[in-house]
Amino acid sequence: MKSELVAGESILLVDRKQRAYLRRLERGRRLSVRGGTILCDDLIDRAEGRVVRSSLNEPFLVLRPTLAQLIPQLPRRAQVIYPKDIGLILVWADIYPGARVVEAGAGPGALTLALLRAVGPEGEVVSYEVREDFAEMARANVERFHGKAANWKLKVADAALHLDEREVDRILLDLPEPWSLTERAWQSLRSGGLLLSFVPTVLQVKNTVDSLRAHGGYACIETLEALLRPWHVQGLSVRPEHRMVAHTGFLTLARKIQRGE
Ligand SMILES: C[S@@+](CC[C@H](N)C(=O)[O-])C[C@H]1O[C@@H](n2cnc3c(N)ncnc32)[C@H](O)[C@@H]1O
């Protein structure tokens, strides 16, 4: 990727207090930020990593957002999976270039964006979302922040009733009752494939694990959570930040095996 910014891209304007404002570059447009304005034409075709001044003479650092910076700012009406969990999911669910992945519970599409990036153009992502309005949000976010993706299919359907893909490498469930998909997910996965569920409460974890164990077609079942503690590093003040996101959810993982083995 080149450093020069192009029209249509999203950028962050970072102020002196490290507050980041997500904006989109469009030719001829004026961006409003903290009461002042910045001309898009002064940013397009010029490198990210520069400081620009708004009409109020306030300096802003111009950067493309990383996925971790983008996700908390995604337009949304449903909870997204936080970057700390998405990082863990990509490695523990072993999402690799070329993988065939199904996710259920697309919501605003935060995980979808990470999956599309991880599977690459050779891979394939199918997302289920039961609510049309949330599916529309996922569509808009993927188009805006990933771009057109020929290898992405969004199905507006209840995954517990309609998930019907076959020979899938990975299935990721981010919905309230993952245990309602235990059998369907098993039918969809290839042998050796991996199922991951993400739920916020321990009762949901227990139901999920009990259901996977009782099924007989899953092995290597494990549950974990990620705690991420940011640090404040300024002069001699080097310490954990006073605030952190203490709880998001639990990951449960399982591998599909031949039933009963
Ligand atoms: C927490 S949100 C998903 C967030 C998303 N994974 C992200 O990272 O942006 C859960 C979503 O699951 C959807 N959902 C719940 N039950 C479902 C089902 N049975 N089939 C498909 N989608 C479902 C809800 O409508 C909601 O949008």
Side-chain angles (χ1 to χ4, degrees):
M1 180 189 280
K2 288 191 175 160
S3 287
E4 282 68 34
L5 299 165
V6 297
E9 273 194 294
S10 294
I11 53 153
L12 286 180
L13 296 170
V14 185
D15 74 7
R16 279 197 213 116
K17 292 189 172 169
Q18 303 289 323
R19 290 173 299 209
Y21 303 87
L22 186 66
R23 297 288 183 272
R24 188 175 196 178
L25 294 177
E26 280 173 39
R27 282 215 181 272
R29 209 176 134 203
R30 217 173 257 281
L31 303 174
S32 299
V33 60
R34 290 183 39 77
T37 58
I38 294 171
L39 281 177
C40 285
D41 291 357
D42 290 344
L43 308 179
I44 293 169
D45 297 332
R46 306 194 63 184
E48 61 172 326
R50 289 188 315 125
V51 172
V52 293
R53 288 183 177 270
S54 74
S55 53
L56 298 180
N57 205 28
E58 182 174 356
F60 291 92
L61 184 56
V62 184
L63 287 172
R64 289 189 176 99
T66 63
L67 206 47
Q69 288 171 319
L70 175 66
I71 285 169
Q73 304 224 19
L74 273 187
R76 57 170 143 144
R77 269 168 290 133
Q79 184 58 261
V80 293
I81 300 191
Y82 276 56
K84 76 176 177 73
D85 297 310
I86 288 187
L88 201 66
I89 287 170
L90 292 180
V91 173
W92 284 78
D94 192 33
I95 309 296
Y96 54 88
R100 284 192 74 212
V101 180
V102 172
E103 66 158 341
L111 182 60
T112 317
L113 289 171
L115 292 175
L116 284 168
R117 187 191 268 200
V119 302
E122 306 300 319
E124 190 186 328
V125 177
V126 177
S127 305
Y128 282 82
E129 173 51 56
V130 74
R131 282 183 54 167
E132 174 61 55
D133 54 339
F134 288 179
E136 193 44 52
M137 203 165 41
R139 243 179 245 124
N141 282 337
V142 166
E143 179 151 354
R144 175 164 172 196
F145 299 110
H146 177 85
K148 293 230 178 298
N151 58 343
W152 179 51
K153 202 179 283 172
L154 176 61
K155 296 187 170 179
V156 184
D158 181 338
L161 301 176
H162 299 288
L163 191 139
D164 60 359
E165 278 67 29
R166 289 293 176 266
E167 292 299 300
V168 171
D169 296 309
R170 308 289 183 245
I171 293 188
L172 310 181
L173 306 176
D174 181 15
L175 35 72
E177 297 186 354
W179 53 90
S180 64
L181 280 114
T182 300
E183 172 59 20
R184 256 184 198 280
W186 189 84
Q187 297 287 348
S188 286
L189 282 167
R190 65 168 169 81
S191 194
L194 187 150
L195 174 128
L196 178 146
S197 88
F198 183 81
V199 289
T201 73
V202 286
L203 288 183
Q204 289 168 300
V205 170
K206 179 167 167 45
N207 280 343
T208 307
V209 171
D210 285 352
S211 158
L212 293 170
R213 290 227 171 95
H215 182 274
Y218 290 96
C220 307
I221 302 168
E222 57 182 329
T223 295
L224 48 117
E225 72 172 314
L227 300 180
L228 183 99
R229 191 164 67 153
W231 278 61
H232 172 91
V233 181
Q234 194 125 42
L236 294 178
S237 173
V238 179
R239 54 161 174 78
E241 291 283 359
H242 291 134
R243 291 165 195 269
M244 64 186 275
V245 177
H247 176 65
T248 51
F250 304 97
L251 275 59
T252 294
L253 298 132
R255 300 291 295 273
K256 170 175 173 171
I257 58 166
Q258 304 293 314
R259 210 187 286 252
E261 297 216 352

